[in-house]
Amino acid sequence: MWRHVKAVRIDVRATSDDHPELSLEIAAVKSAVEHVGPTRVKLTVDVPFEELKPSLDAAYATIASQVQVPGFRQGKVPARIIDQRVGRGAVVQEAVNEALPQFYSEAVDQQEIQPIGQPEVDVTAVPAADGDDLSFTVEVDVVPDFELPAFEEVTVEVDPVSVTDDDVNAELDALRERFGTVAAVDRAAQDGDTVNIGLRAEIDGEEIDDVAAVDYLIGAGNMLDGLDEAVVGLSAGETKDFTSPLIGGEHEGEDADITVTVNSVSERTLPELDDDFATTVSGDYENLEELRSAITEQVERGKKMEQGIQARDKVLDHLLETLDLPVPDALVEAEVHSHLEGEERLDDDEHRAEVTESTRKQLQTQFVLDRIARDEKVEVGQQDLIEFIIASAGQYGLDPNQFAQMLDQQGQIPAIMGEVGRRKALAAVLEKVTIKDTNGEVVDLNALDTELEDELDDEVEDVELDEADAEDADDIVAEEIVAEADEQDEPTPTA
């Protein structure tokens, strides 16, 4: 955090006064805090000369090693000569800039505040002579102070878990699609066919894109608007023109003249839903009844997970609505600007409003979960990190070991530690609140948590990571990640 603060410039005149004797008792840094806004404070810090003296001595030594004075060896120039030749102000400036972060950190600890953003420093008094104290003020945004509600008194309502025949049949139909066969046919394309097509797009007569061959399932609706209507009824070798807004690139959203050419038409044949199909899906099933039963359990588990997600979101919404936390405007504006700049949409006012609202909510959520993690004494251990990395790597289709190395190289370890801690904090809250479905039944999320943990434990055992000197899965990321996180002096705010 402190690295963003510019060096403080100090102007001090040299003095010929005798140096006073130093007290053997070291006086502590004194600080006071004034709240100048809902999320902003002003720290006033007084540093006794005895506290600054080691930094002054170091500054004299540094300057002595850099200057050349006739009659003195380099590095052996006395302090009084440096004051005469270089100036006392340069020495004090060097010492103060070196020591300010430490004194600031001490004041933050004394006042028990959580700074976020860039501090603004104003040095108000410097030691013009030995024995004089250093004083400075700091204005900085902080995490707002708030009291968490009694979680045992919180109740949220969620949808009940209900598995219908339609739910199961939909999953069975998806399986049939996966195991279906495709064969070329000599006829016009129909809904449900797979066609290989060429696409050419123009805007005002200028070619924007040209794709020679791409497969498309008619009815999928995942390409251009109007494509389904255009290709139905076309046979191989036939073309059709239509107009559609583009869905990507620099011309996204602009209407383009599209020419589609059907290269070939293929018909998909789905397998019959019978015992043979069940054994084809997996050797674990002897008949269709067993497959249907397994799918029913899978659908039920998925709905329970959706129920848990709904409970999580409702608990968070309840906390944010109840606490209504203020958020530093400067921090929000900085995050929003960075986001919009990355999207090249700085002039999109409507999108800016959406991003501002979501950013404010994200910061409020972080404040609340960090506070819960602190109050609940949440600790992030090796197993927590392993589970997070394995689950996250799976989402991106990456090897867990490669994903861990990528996070390390990008300096994302502190952020990951914070994210895992917040997840554990929210889990701790979910164990305390009361969750009911709309039928009045109490929902127990612990059973689902246990099931998911058992499955993830199996994944951890199955994953092989080729980290040097690692003998088992627990050595994947554990030691390096925890060690690097422990080296961080203070938590890094994230939005």
Side-chain angles (χ1 to χ4, degrees):
M1 175 185 298
W2 193 270
R3 62 181 178 271
H4 298 296
V5 181
K6 295 180 180 179
V8 179
R9 183 177 180 181
I10 301 172
D11 182 17
V12 181
R13 291 182 302 173
T15 175
S16 59
D17 294 343
D18 294 334
H19 294 178
E21 294 184 2
L22 301 180
S23 170
L24 295 178
E25 181 179 355
I26 302 299
V29 172
K30 297 179 181 179
S31 65
V33 64
E34 175 189 357
H35 289 268
V36 295
T39 60
R40 195 165 180 83
V41 300
K42 180 178 181 179
L43 280 171
T44 301
V45 185
D46 295 317
V47 182
F49 178 79
E50 292 86 347
E51 288 284 322
L52 183 63
K53 187 177 185 303
S55 296
L56 280 169
D57 292 342
Y60 274 115
T62 298
I63 295 175
S65 67
Q66 297 172 346
V67 299
Q68 292 183 346
V69 178
F72 298 95
R73 287 182 298 165
Q74 193 167 7
K76 300 297 183 179
V77 183
R80 60 183 179 79
I81 301 300
I82 291 177
D83 286 347
Q84 294 171 2
R85 293 297 185 94
V86 180
R88 169 83 173 187
V91 179
V92 174
Q93 179 174 324
E94 174 85 15
V96 170
N97 284 326
E98 186 274 333
L100 267 178
Q102 175 190 341
F103 297 143
Y104 169 68
S105 180
E106 290 181 26
V108 165
D109 291 340
Q110 285 179 5
Q111 300 302 328
E112 297 182 345
I113 59 175
Q114 293 178 269
I116 49 178
Q118 179 175 322
E120 297 178 5
V121 183
D122 181 21
V123 176
T124 55
V126 295
D130 286 358
D132 293 346
D133 295 342
L134 166 69
S135 297
F136 64 94
T137 63
V138 181
E139 281 202 24
V140 65
D141 289 322
V142 296
V143 174
D145 189 24
F146 57 93
E147 293 296 326
L148 293 169
F151 300 127
E152 293 79 4
E153 299 176 3
V154 175
T155 300
V156 296
E157 191 176 66
V158 296
D159 297 328
V161 171
S162 175
V163 179
T164 66
D165 289 340
D166 288 342
D167 295 327
V168 177
N169 290 336
E171 291 297 322
L172 285 171
D173 288 342
L175 270 179
R176 293 176 68 203
E177 288 284 349
R178 285 174 52 192
F179 285 87
T181 58
V182 178
V185 293
D186 186 16
R187 60 167 172 78
Q190 300 175 0
D191 190 30
D193 287 343
T194 296
V195 289
N196 184 275
I197 57 176
L199 290 168
R200 187 172 187 273
E202 292 183 353
I203 295 180
D204 296 331
E206 178 185 354
E207 182 179 296
I208 301 302
D209 201 0
D210 189 2
V211 179
V214 62
D215 288 332
Y216 176 65
L217 175 64
I218 301 177
N222 56 1
M223 290 186 71
L224 297 169
D225 290 343
L227 181 59
D228 289 336
E229 294 80 359
V231 296
V232 168
L234 296 184
S235 299
E238 295 182 334
T239 65
K240 190 170 185 179
D241 297 330
F242 66 101
T243 301
S244 176
L246 299 179
I247 58 175
E250 59 179 315
H251 296 283
E252 180 179 2
E254 296 182 35
D255 286 340
D257 297 322
I258 311 294
T259 299
V260 57
T261 301
V262 175
N263 300 321
S264 63
V265 179
S266 299
E267 182 180 55
R268 177 178 290 273
T269 301
L270 302 183
E272 293 293 329
L273 200 58
D274 53 21
D275 293 345
D276 290 339
F277 173 67
T279 57
T280 300
V281 171
S282 172
D284 295 335
Y285 310 122
E286 294 184 357
N287 51 55
L288 181 60
E289 183 179 352
E290 290 185 3
L291 174 60
R292 181 179 288 274
S293 177
I295 289 180
T296 301
E297 292 179 3
Q298 176 184 324
V299 172
E300 182 178 16
R301 179 182 163 199
K303 287 183 174 285
K304 285 182 178 179
M305 291 184 65
E306 292 175 0
Q307 190 183 57
I309 292 172
Q310 186 182 22
R312 175 203 67 188
D313 292 344
K314 288 203 169 187
V315 167
L316 269 177
D317 288 342
H318 173 82
L319 292 176
L320 297 184
E321 182 179 347
T322 301
L323 296 171
D324 190 24
L325 299 178
V327 178
D329 291 334
L331 183 60
V332 174
E333 290 173 5
E335 293 292 339
V336 170
H337 182 86
S338 176
H339 180 93
L340 295 179
E341 188 175 39
E343 293 184 335
E344 298 182 353
R345 300 177 66 177
L346 286 172
D347 297 327
D348 190 337
D349 293 337
E350 183 177 351
H351 186 51
R352 176 181 291 274
E354 295 172 356
V355 174
T356 298
E357 182 179 354
S358 64
T359 299
R360 192 174 295 277
K361 184 175 181 179
Q362 288 169 5
L363 288 170
Q364 290 173 328
T365 300
Q366 177 179 320
F367 293 161
V368 172
L369 295 183
D370 284 347
R371 174 64 178 275
I372 294 172
R374 187 187 71 183
D375 290 358
E376 297 291 329
K377 296 180 173 57
V378 170
E379 295 182 355
V380 178
Q382 296 180 2
Q383 189 70 11
D384 300 316
L385 291 167
I386 292 170
E387 293 176 359
F388 177 89
I389 287 176
I390 289 176
S392 299
Q395 293 177 357
Y396 295 105
L398 297 175
D399 173 77
N401 192 55
Q402 294 176 344
F403 186 63
Q405 292 176 358
M406 181 182 69
L407 292 175
D408 185 36
Q409 292 169 358
Q410 295 178 352
Q412 293 295 313
I413 302 306
I416 295 299
M417 295 286 288
E419 177 61 25
V420 175
R422 292 178 195 114
R423 291 187 180 193
K424 294 187 70 174
L426 185 53
V429 174
L430 289 174
E431 291 179 358
K432 296 182 179 183
V433 302
T434 300
I435 304 171
K436 292 184 177 181
D437 63 25
T438 53
N439 296 327
E441 298 291 331
V442 175
V443 176
D444 181 15
L445 298 180
N446 290 328
L448 179 60
D449 288 341
T450 301
E451 182 180 348
L452 292 175
E453 287 174 3
D454 290 343
E455 180 176 311
L456 191 51
D457 287 343
D458 292 339
E459 284 190 56
V460 171
E461 293 175 2
D462 292 340
V463 169
E464 294 182 1
L465 293 155
D466 300 324
E467 188 71 22
D469 300 325
E471 296 181 354
D472 54 51
D474 283 351
D475 290 332
I476 302 174
V477 275
E479 295 182 2
E480 285 192 8
I481 289 182
V482 172
E484 182 166 345
D486 288 342
E487 290 175 0
Q488 304 300 316
D489 292 333
E490 40 185 51
T492 302
T494 58

